């Protein structure tokens, strides 16, 4: 520190772990260390990206450190083949930041003309130097690390070329904007190179600047950095000697130490301060992003036009008796919108929705669903609570009739933009995203990024390979570990698994554990958010880098949702919702096969038949309430109306579960139904109004905000910030501060500490995700509509369910068996009648050819096309006219799709074998149908008579090729010997009174190990009569972990206690688990594993 | 060894003075089989030799060479190598390129694990 207590040096070259697989510290760690070391300013210069720039700037600001935004760009004369170098660029001004962002975008392929080049740049960013001269204003240029063009030439003794390269930079940026970068990390050659660079700088007339090339916050982290280098180069530590850094000197050193290390170059140290002084651009404050301003009619402002649109719609939607309340709510919302300057924001959404209407019209075309008042999409999330959103068409739920709280969406003190999420059927969403890109262009619209991070399995695999540990062992350990767990739990996990227990202190394995601890939550790569888009009135690319996405013709920006929120940018979530696609298809099928045009906004919402099914938990395929946990809870909560369904949709979420709200609610509801007194203690009066409807517990996000206000004494703005903070990545860091504030407020209101603590725990559960009521209301409605369709039009419903899979909770064989339990026949594919997708055929569902493994959509279309020319006369005729691959034809035969050709399946396979020489590498040697096969046809004497598949073979083949069997269930074939051993089936279990010791067996259709369940695993078994719920206690799971039975075995035999029945589904607590067979007798049917 | 910021997918050229592959001996010398005949025994060229060093402020000031203390005129360069931290015997050295009195250049390194000093011809 100098006399004024200021540090003598500022770090201007620093990589966070957003320099993917290179930087070895989180931004939080680097900023924390900088605080300890007394830094007054700090730059971020990650490789070719600004992924972490906003988070870094925010952390610096919170720590009272001046953030400097920069990047270390990879540059080349010819990025496709020439040598590459590094160049450090720092944003001095807003203009400079815009240039920086654009240069990064260009390096990542934004303006590459064709898809192949875009893809190469996306994966391997590099900026052609020709782009640089036009983007220099506002930037300070440092000549880069040892791999900079100037330093590397100097080190190689090519001084004349180095001088020319430096003079070129000076010509582009100007002499005051270029600094020769000196680095000294105790690497051999650093000092002579620095002396030569300093001399070169003097000769050219530019300054020098000292930098630390920081890659981690603490010296110890060099081990992880070494491992990251090995991972990035797909090699091991042993094999990567040439690629790794030579020592641990790339950590953040103290300003004093850096000043001493560069004592030979005092000017270079002083220049760090001068440069920091010049870099006044602050990403947290100076971004200047402007909301798009949609055009409004002459004579209107955005505010007045929005008001006019809303008022017109209000008169249309509300009868006179309801208007005063609606007028009052509208006035309140418009006033908030005016105060926050958000009218343009809402009008942009209105524009987007207009665009969506056009797209929906194109997609639906003349289909029946286009004529039944279907909106193009539906609002979800907190926006559903807004009357303005309802009136301009963003939401389909009336917030007044549903008593939805506004403050979660709009409030007086909000400091970030409100969320508006829109759900669309998948086909409409795909087209809409393209149209938004077309409408605003890639420089004004982009998808929001998401950044997948290291979890335990990825850490085991990547770090273990870098350490040279045996791949098979790593694979086994990864499979045995909890997939989404933190990599910090690795030691704990290994101690739990007998095979690995003795290795925790063994060489290399111990390193693996330590490195896994350090790599926890490190970013791995850039991906795209499920549907979030940002749009801007000014070029977006000057606010945040934009690059091509992996998906052709889409573009993704460099910031995730948290950074977008910090930047106060408009993020529109276009989410694809499979259930909306299902509903739309279902409406078309109903119209086509029954002649009914169903308007789902006008169905009977009190249909008791529908609610009876829901109350029984008979909900496979129904939106949001089909899961094992839901089906188990529905018979206890027994929803009777849409309000109840709103609660039901919200309750099985991590927020209420972690917050301990579920059991009290369910018990209270049961008590109410049975006329017993409520089991929980009375609701504290200060939250009575807020929590009354949910019987004293917090189930909705709005309630989090309201309780924080009523009990914690927060203002609406503070409460909303509290709720938002919980949903962020760094909640753990700030949770204590919020808890203190809440407890203080509660004490002032006379709430006993124990009650306040319990309530805060309930609230804090929402850090693990919960629904706003408005969102739950929207989803609850769709849940009812899907249940209604299933009840009244089951054939069409199941057909659409097959066609829109994957979606929901179950694999297709589960809804096949469910369909049969509901008297809907499922017919196997048949080349004579099947279409590409599944179809309705009388009262049955015909499986489409697209379901046949190995056929693909193109193959299925080829069959349908060929059939249009006339019926298939023989296998030869079929093969010749469709031109399918051998494997595809074989699969069609095996599942009986060619049964109608007069031969049994074995005979057809035999005959297909006779064509073998006429098929070249699985394809016809000549393109059909233009020419004949070259070889002679099979002759009669070649054909033999063979027995057909037996029932088991048919079933097993169905599961292998179709993922379902229209005829049989595998457990039927086991029943004989199981019965002899008194192993009960699901039908027998249903008849038994609990508690009772039983043994059962079944096909595992679903495995769940929720993070909220304290190590319990839930299995859903299926047999030929129905489903069985099995709870596997933690100790049993751990004991059986090494055999991997619970996690991977498809057929299980389970002994335990029958504890009850959830509707028609028996519930067992497992005490013994065994595989049904030591060696599987058939291809393992698909099961779903969650968590 | 890479020394700058990494260029993904490209190997930087080897840098002179990188650490020798570990062999289990602290000086990194190659093990020989004592049963082999002298003619066939492996012998390491330019093997490091121990050296006594007087230091001040962490830098060498004088070296005992040929039983005579020689003053260090200048420390031309200092560099560190750390490698093989995952092995039973890692490598951690600090090297000093020195100019001794009479303009004689010499490289000395300190084994940071046992604080021994070694010299090796350039």
């Amino acid at each position: 520190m100098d006399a004024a207590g200021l540090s003598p040096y500022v770090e201007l070259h620093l990589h966070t772990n957003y320099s993917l697989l290179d930087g070895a510290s989180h931004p939080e760690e680097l900023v924390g260390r900088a605080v300890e070391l007394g830094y007054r300013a700090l730059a971020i210069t990650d490789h070719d990206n600004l992924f972490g720039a906003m988070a870094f700037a925010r952390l610096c600001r919170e720590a009272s450190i001046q953030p400097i935004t920069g990047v270390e760009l990879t540059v080349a004369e010819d990025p496709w083949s020439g040598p590459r170098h590094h160049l450090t660029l720092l944003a001095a001004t807003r203009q400079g930041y815009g240039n920086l962002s654009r240069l990064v975008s260009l390096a990542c392929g934004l303006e590459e003309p064709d898809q192949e080049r875009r893809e190469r740049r996306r994966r391997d960013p590099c900026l052609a130097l020709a782009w640089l001269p036009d983007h220099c204003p506002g930037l300070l240029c440092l000549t880069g690390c040892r791999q900079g063009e100037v330093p590397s030439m100097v080190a190689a003794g090519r001084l004349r070329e180095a001088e020319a390269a430096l003079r070129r930079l000076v010509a582009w940026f100007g002499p005051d904007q270029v600094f020769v970068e000196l680095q000294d990390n105790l690497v051999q050659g650093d000092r002579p190179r620095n002396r030569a660079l300093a001399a070169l700088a003097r000769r050219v007339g530019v300054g020098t600047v000292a930098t630390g090339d920081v890659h981690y916050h603490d010296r110890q982290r060099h081990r992880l950095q070494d491992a990251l280098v090995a991972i990035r180069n797909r090699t091991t530590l042993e094999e990567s000697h040439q690629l790794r850094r030579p020592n641990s000197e790339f950590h953040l050193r103290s300003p004093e130490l850096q000043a001493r290390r560069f004592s030979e170059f005092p000017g270079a140290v002083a220049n760090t301060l001068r440069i920091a002084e010049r870099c006044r651009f602050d990403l947290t404050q100076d971004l200047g992003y402007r909301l798009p301003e949609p055009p409004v009619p002459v004579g209107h402002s955005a505010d007045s036009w929005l008001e006019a649109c809303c008022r017109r719609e209000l008169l249309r939607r509300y009868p006179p008796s309801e208007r005063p309340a609606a007028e009052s709510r509208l006035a309140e919302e418009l006033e908030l919108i005016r105060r926050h300057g958000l009218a343009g924001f809402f009008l942009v959404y209105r524009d987007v929705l207009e665009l969506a209407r056009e797209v929906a019209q194109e997609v639906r075309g003349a289909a029946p669903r286009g004529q039944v008042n279907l909106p193009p999409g539906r609002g979800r999330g907190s926006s559903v609570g807004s009357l303005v959103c309802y009136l301009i068409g963003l939401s389909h739920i009336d917030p007044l009739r549903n008593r939805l709280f506004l403050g979660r969406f709009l409030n007086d003190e909000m400091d970030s933009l409100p969320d508006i999420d829109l759900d669309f059927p998948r086909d409409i969403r795909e087209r809409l995203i393209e149209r938004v890109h077309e409408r605003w262009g890639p420089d004004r619209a982009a998808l929001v990024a998401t950044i997948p991070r290291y979890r335990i399995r990825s850490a085991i695999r990547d770090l273990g390979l870098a350490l040279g540990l045996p791949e098979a062992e790593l694979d086994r350990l990864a499979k045995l570990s909890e997939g989404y767990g933190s990599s910090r739990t690795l030691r704990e996990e290994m101690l739990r698994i007998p095979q690995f227990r003795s290795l925790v202190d063994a060489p290399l394995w111990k390193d693996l554990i330590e490195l896994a601890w350090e790599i926890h939550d490190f970013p791995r790569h850039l991906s795209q958010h499920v549907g979030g888009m940002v749009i801007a009135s000014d070029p977006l690319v000057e606010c945040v880098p934009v690059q091509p996405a992996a998906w052709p013709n889409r573009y993704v920006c460099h910031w995730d949702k948290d950074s977008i929120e910090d930047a106060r940018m408009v993020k529109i979530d276009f989410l694809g919702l499979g259930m909306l696609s299902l509903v739309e298809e279902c409406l078309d099928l109903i119209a086509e096969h029954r002649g009914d045009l169903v308007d789902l906004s006008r169905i009977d919402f009190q249909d008791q038949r529908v609610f009876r099914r829901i109350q029984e938990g008979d909900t496979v395929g129904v939106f949001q309430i089909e899961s094992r946990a839901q089906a188990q809870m529905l018979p206890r909560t027994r929803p009777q109306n849409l309000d109840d369904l709103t609660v039901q949709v919200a309750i099985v979420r991590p927020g209420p579960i972690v917050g301990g709200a579920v059991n009290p609610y369910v018990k209270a509801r049961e008590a109410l139904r049975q006329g017993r007194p409520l089991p929980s203690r009375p609701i504290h009066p200060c939250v009575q109004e807020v929590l009354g409807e949910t019987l004293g517990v917090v189930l909705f996000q709005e309630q989090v905000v309201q309780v924080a206000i009523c009990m914690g004494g927060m203002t609406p703005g503070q409460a909303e910030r509290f709720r938002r903070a919980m949903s962020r990545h760094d909640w753990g860091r700030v949770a204590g501060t919020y808890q203190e504030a809440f407890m203080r407020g509660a004490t002032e209101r006379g709430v006993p500490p124990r009650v306040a603590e319990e309530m805060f725990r309930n609230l804090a559960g929402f850090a693990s995700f919960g629904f706003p009521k408005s969102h739950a209301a929207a989803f609850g409605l769709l849940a009812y509509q899907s249940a209604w369709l299933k009840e009244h039009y089951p054939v069409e419903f199941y057909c659409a369910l097959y066609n829109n899979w994957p979606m929901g909770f179950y694999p297709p064989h589960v809804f096949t068996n469910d369909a049969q339990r509901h008297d809907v026949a499922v017919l196997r594919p048949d080349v004579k009648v099947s279409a590409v997708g599944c179809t309705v055929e009388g009262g049955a569902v015909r499986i489409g050819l697209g379901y046949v493994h190995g056929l693909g959509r193109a193959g299925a279309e080829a069959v349908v096309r060929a059939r249009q020319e006339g019926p298939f006369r023989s296998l030869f005729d079929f093969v010749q006219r469709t031109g399918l691959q051998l494997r595809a034809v074989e699969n069609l035969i095996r599942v009986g799709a060619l049964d109608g050709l007069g031969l049994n399946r074995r005979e057809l396979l035999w005959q297909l074998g006779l064509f073998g020489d006429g098929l070249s590498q699985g394809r016809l040697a000549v393109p059909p149908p233009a020419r004949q096969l070259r070889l002679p046809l099979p002759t009669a004497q070649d054909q033999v008579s063979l027995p057909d598949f037996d029932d088991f073979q048919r079933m097993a083949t169905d599961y292998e090729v179709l993922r379902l069997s229209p005829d049989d269930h595998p457990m039927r074939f086991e029943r004989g010997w199981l019965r002899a051993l008194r192993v009960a089936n699901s039908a027998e279990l249903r008849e038994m009174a609990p508690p009772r010791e039983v043994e059962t067996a079944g096909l595992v259709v679903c495995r769940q190990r929720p993070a909220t369940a304290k190590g319990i695993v839930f299995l859903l078994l299926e047999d030929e009569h129905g489903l069985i719920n099995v709870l596997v206690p933690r100790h049993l799971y751990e004991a059986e972990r090494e055999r991997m039975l619970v996690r991977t075995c498809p057929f299980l035999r389970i002994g335990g206690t029958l504890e009850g029945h959830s509707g028609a589904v028996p519930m067992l607590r497992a005490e013994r688990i065994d595989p049904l067979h030591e060696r599987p007798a058939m291809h393992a049917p698909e099961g779903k594993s969650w968590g | 060894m890479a020394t700058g910021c990494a260029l993904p997918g490209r190997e930087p050229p080897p840098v002179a003075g990188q650490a020798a592959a570990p062999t289990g001996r602290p000086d990194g010398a190659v093990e020989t089989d004592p049963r082999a005949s002298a003619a066939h025994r492996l012998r390491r060229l330019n093997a490091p030799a121990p050296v006594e060093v007087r230091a001040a402020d962490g830098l060498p000031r004088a070296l005992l060479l040929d039983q005579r203390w020689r003053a260090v005129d200048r420390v031309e360069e200092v560099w560190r190598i750390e490698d093989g931290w995952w092995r039973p015997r890692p490598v951690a050295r600090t090297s000093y390129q020195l100019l001794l009195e009479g303009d004689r250049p010499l490289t000395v390194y300190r084994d940071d694990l046992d604080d021994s000093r070694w010299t090796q011809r350039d």
Side-chain angles (χ1 to χ4, degrees), chain A residues 368-369 372 374 583-591 598 600 789:
Chain A
R369 61 184 164 138
V372 287
L374 270 181
V583 165
E584 295 218 349
E585 181 178 345
C586 203
L587 297 184
D588 281 350
L589 290 170
I590 293 167
V598 176
L600 281 176
L789 286 170

Side-chain angles (χ1 to χ4, degrees), chain A residues 65 161 189 324 363 367 447 658 760 963 1056:
Chain A
I65 290 177
E161 292 165 79
V363 170
L447 292 159
V658 174
F760 188 83
R963 293 181 301 219

Side-chain angles (χ1 to χ4, degrees), chain A residues 882-914:
Chain A
T882 58
L884 292 179
Q885 293 189 355
L886 173 65
R887 181 78 188 160
V889 180
E890 192 182 307
N891 281 347
L892 283 168
I893 293 171
R894 292 174 70 209
V895 296
L898 291 160
D899 281 358
L901 292 178
L903 295 173
N904 71 39
R905 295 180 198 180
R906 270 220 181 80
E907 289 166 346
L908 285 167
L909 287 171
W910 173 271
Q911 194 175 79
L912 185 69
L914 297 176

Side-chain angles (χ1 to χ4, degrees), chain A residues 191-455:
Chain A
R191 285 196 186 175
R193 190 193 60 249
N194 284 344
R195 287 177 194 131
L197 281 169
L200 175 65
R202 275 194 300 276
R203 207 159 50 244
V204 175
V206 297
T208 56
V209 62
T211 67
D213 198 10
V214 172
H215 279 70
Y216 33 89
H217 72 293
D218 180 84
R219 183 187 289 281
Q220 292 306 316
R221 212 39 92 76
H222 82 99
R223 299 171 1 129
L224 179 61
Q225 209 278 327
D226 282 351
L228 293 175
V229 172
I231 293 169
R232 192 181 62 235
N233 290 282
R234 296 191 179 88
T235 183
T236 62
L237 286 160
E238 286 292 355
E239 299 295 323
S240 58
H241 177 78
Q242 300 286 339
L243 304 168
R244 284 183 277 108
R245 290 185 171 71
N247 60 37
S248 61
E249 294 292 329
F250 294 77
H251 63 99
L252 186 63
R253 284 187 289 274
S254 74
E256 292 74 24
L257 190 62
Q258 277 294 80
R260 274 206 300 282
R261 185 163 282 185
F262 286 96
S263 56
E264 195 179 333
F265 311 102
V269 175
N271 274 343
T272 64
L273 306 182
R274 292 194 192 104
I275 289 173
E277 190 58 36
R278 288 172 66 183
C279 291
R280 301 319 297 180
F281 171 75
D282 180 348
L283 192 51
T284 62
Q285 291 168 12
D286 306 330
L287 191 61
Y289 164 82
R290 284 191 309 124
L291 292 170
E293 290 165 5
V296 294
V298 179
H300 272 290
S301 65
D303 283 313
S304 67
W305 178 236
L306 177 66
E307 181 169 353
C309 296
C310 290
R311 291 210 178 280
R312 194 174 52 223
E313 200 59 24
L314 186 145
L315 292 176
R316 201 176 69 78
R317 294 198 188 199
Y318 288 95
S321 61
E322 294 180 23
R323 279 183 200 157
E327 291 277 4
S328 158
R329 173 73 169 258
L330 180 62
E332 180 194 355
E333 290 193 23
L334 288 173
E335 176 52 28
L336 285 167
I337 289 168
R338 206 178 346 260
R339 204 175 307 156
H340 292 296
L342 290 173
F345 167 83
F346 282 91
L347 290 172
V348 165
Y349 270 93
R350 192 166 167 272
D351 267 13
V352 168
L353 211 70
E354 288 301 321
L355 201 59
R357 277 201 187 92
E358 285 172 28
V359 170
Q361 221 162 20
E362 287 166 21
V363 170
R364 290 168 183 155
R369 61 184 164 138
Q371 300 159 36
V372 287
N373 192 27
L374 270 181
R378 299 175 177 213
R380 68 148 79 179
S382 62
S383 64
V384 178
S386 156
L387 180 60
V388 169
C389 287
Y390 178 58
L391 294 176
I392 62 177
L394 291 176
S395 148
H396 59 299
I397 303 285
D398 182 343
L400 298 179
R401 284 173 198 145
N402 286 280
R403 301 179 307 284
L404 298 178
F405 172 68
L406 176 66
R408 155 79 176 78
F409 179 68
L410 269 179
N411 63 64
D412 209 19
E413 299 163 71
M414 56 197 287
D415 55 6
S416 58
L417 291 168
D419 293 331
I420 300 183
D421 302 337
L422 300 169
D423 286 326
F424 294 97
R426 290 167 179 159
D427 48 2
I428 292 176
R429 174 184 177 268
E430 301 310 317
R431 290 274 283 277
L432 180 60
I433 287 177
E434 281 169 22
R435 290 289 284 274
V436 169
H437 276 308
E438 282 167 23
R439 170 85 167 259
W440 277 276
D443 65 341
R444 283 181 164 77
L447 292 159
V448 174
T450 184
I451 301 182
R453 291 168 186 274
Y454 269 99
R455 298 281 176 264

